[in-house]
Amino acid sequence: MIFIEGVAMTRFDKQPNTLAPELAQGAILNAVKDANLTLNDIEAIYCANVFGGMILGQLIVRDLQLQGIPIYNIENACASGATAVHLAKHALLAEQYKTILVIGIEQLTQLGGGTIPLQLNDHKTRIYSNSGLVLPSIYAMRATRYLYERDEDPSLLAQVAVKNRFNGSLNPYAQQRTPTTIEEVLSSRMIADPLTLMQCCPSQVDGAAALILSTEHNNGRKPVKLLASIVQSGMQEKYFDDILDAEITARAARQAYEHAGIGPNDIDVIELHDAFTIAELIYYEALGIAKPGEGPELLRSGKTGLSGKIPVNPSGGLLAKGHPLGATGVAQMVELTWQLEGRAMERQVNKPKIALAQCTGGGIAGVDHAASSVHILGI
């Protein structure tokens, strides 16, 4: 059995004057303290990052006097953090180590804002990008199709932003902490019709998140177990594929449920990859918490709100908390650990026992997503 023994994160915000190692070191030290361990108890480090350059993990731990232990640097686009957890899990199951630190870190303010750069080592992706097929426009096409097929209007999308901005207003670690209204969301600057600015996750945000995985439980709190960890890559798209299908996430979810021995109805709380409002609605169906076509009703019912039957993104999600790529997957599990342990303060949901984290990553031509991960945690 693998336990999440300690968790911590920095506030996700613009921190251009703080170097990546400093951000990460704060999260690391707090996670070690949360686990009631010392740095000397850490046997290996998995560092998730996208744009920080080579050997960032070694740079981060240099000043912590963690010398000589294995350090693995992981890049898998937005799913980097979740992938690092997945790989650490395998190392623990193989009995290579007993205790591993996973750190996710990103400084997007260094990119200067705008859309996240796509993979440029591929002429097809470059053609897509140069023609305007960047992530906001791709999700806008999905949103347009979704609204058409379900006979809805853009106010449905705005409801996702309103819900998650409210949750974020209760989260001291979130970048966006001001509640909003449907009217404010719809009147914010248009990015890619029908997606307005407040329906897109912030592209200028820095932050770090850390967790400690161990085969031994000794932190003095109720044990949080890693029940399933799945990472999948995308299938090559065909001309007849449904852009609302989210096949890669549905596939990862099915495998995670099977591995954990549960089903969608057993999930009590979810953190999912709401990079855009439409993504949350699509993932309701991909994760099986709504039947095909029933995502709008699930949202309107209030069941995915903080006091609902299956709260989604109690942290505020990417829309409110922010999305520093390498840190996101780890931060989702930090939030869910707090929820399962009853430590989420004002945004605490009602006594959850099973939690799910879903994170997708990467845009390349001809593939649904480059990566998708689903993790299931339980007490």
Side-chain angles (χ1 to χ4, degrees):
M1 184 61 66
I2 297 174
F3 303 96
I4 299 180
E5 286 293 279
V7 296
M9 61 182 289
T10 68
R11 182 179 178 186
F12 285 6
D13 204 352
K14 294 180 182 180
Q15 303 184 56
N17 297 321
T18 303
L19 294 176
E22 297 171 8
L23 277 176
Q25 288 162 5
I28 289 171
L29 293 173
N30 286 330
V32 170
K33 180 180 179 181
D34 192 57
N36 289 326
L37 297 174
T38 69
L39 287 172
N40 290 333
D41 295 311
I42 305 300
E43 298 175 84
I45 294 175
Y46 286 67
C47 177
N49 178 261
V50 179
F51 294 112
M54 64 178 70
I55 57 172
L56 182 60
Q58 284 85 340
L59 181 61
I60 288 169
V61 304
R62 178 191 62 189
D63 299 330
L64 296 179
Q65 301 303 310
L66 278 170
Q67 302 180 36
I69 67 173
I71 300 172
Y72 304 92
N73 292 291
I74 313 298
E75 187 278 310
N76 209 13
C78 306
S80 296
T83 302
V85 172
H86 179 74
L87 294 174
K89 178 208 76 167
H90 280 293
L92 291 169
L93 290 177
E95 299 183 348
Q96 289 182 291
Y97 316 108
K98 292 183 179 179
T99 302
I100 293 176
L101 168 72
V102 179
I103 176 72
I105 169 69
E106 205 72 59
Q107 284 190 298
L108 292 183
T109 55
Q110 294 183 346
L111 301 182
T115 61
I116 301 299
L118 299 178
Q119 172 58 261
L120 297 180
N121 290 314
D122 173 46
H123 69 279
K124 292 182 180 179
T125 302
R126 189 184 293 269
I127 291 171
Y128 275 40
S129 180
N130 290 342
S131 64
L133 277 176
V134 291
L135 290 176
S137 60
I138 292 171
Y139 276 93
M141 289 191 290
R142 288 173 172 156
T144 299
R145 187 69 189 178
Y146 188 96
L147 296 179
Y148 171 78
E149 289 194 359
R150 286 148 177 81
D151 194 24
E152 298 285 349
D153 62 65
S155 66
L156 175 73
L157 303 173
Q159 290 180 51
V160 175
V162 170
K163 172 181 72 71
N164 292 351
R165 282 290 189 109
F166 172 77
N167 295 350
S169 72
L170 305 176
N171 184 359
Y173 297 94
Q175 183 180 34
Q176 307 294 335
R177 299 205 60 203
T178 304
T180 191
T181 65
I182 290 177
E183 293 73 23
E184 288 173 333
V185 173
L186 294 177
S187 63
S188 62
R189 177 164 57 91
M190 184 63 69
I191 300 300
D193 193 11
L195 299 178
T196 60
L197 180 64
M198 296 180 71
Q199 297 184 58
C200 309
C201 66
S203 62
Q204 288 206 31
V205 58
D206 307 318
L211 59 80
I212 293 174
L213 298 176
S214 181
T215 55
E216 300 175 347
H217 174 62
N218 293 303
N219 68 10
R221 300 185 298 271
K222 64 179 70 173
V224 176
K225 305 169 186 176
L226 184 59
L227 302 179
S229 173
I230 300 296
V231 174
Q232 295 285 285
S233 60
M235 299 287 194
Q236 186 170 358
E237 292 178 322
K238 303 293 191 299
Y239 70 92
F240 51 79
D241 284 349
D242 184 353
I243 63 173
L244 303 180
D245 191 25
E247 184 277 334
I248 184 175
T249 293
R251 174 164 32 101
R254 288 194 300 269
Q255 293 184 26
Y257 293 140
E258 181 178 359
H259 191 87
I262 63 171
N265 293 333
D266 297 307
I267 303 297
D268 298 313
V269 59
I270 293 174
E271 284 282 315
L272 59 72
H273 195 267
D274 61 325
F276 304 90
T277 50
I278 182 60
E280 178 163 322
L281 289 162
I282 290 173
Y283 292 142
Y284 286 171
E285 298 178 20
L287 294 174
I289 64 172
K291 295 180 181 179
E294 296 183 2
E297 180 54 35
L298 179 65
L299 176 65
R300 278 193 287 262
S301 72
K303 291 180 180 178
T304 59
L306 274 184
S307 59
K309 180 181 179 181
I310 183 166
V312 174
N313 288 327
S315 71
L318 281 60
L319 288 169
K321 187 171 79 251
H323 182 25
L325 309 185
T328 288
V330 180
Q332 289 180 326
M333 286 179 251
V334 169
E335 173 69 20
L336 292 177
T337 298
W338 283 333
Q339 291 287 348
L340 291 170
E341 292 179 337
R343 296 196 286 159
M345 300 181 289
E346 292 182 83
R347 64 192 185 282
Q348 179 66 51
V349 305
N350 186 31
K351 298 180 180 179
K353 295 187 180 302
I354 304 290
L356 182 148
Q358 176 268 335
C359 196
T360 57
I364 55 176
V367 176
D368 173 13
H369 279 95
S372 186
S373 66
V374 173
H375 287 77
I376 296 176
L377 285 57
I379 56 174

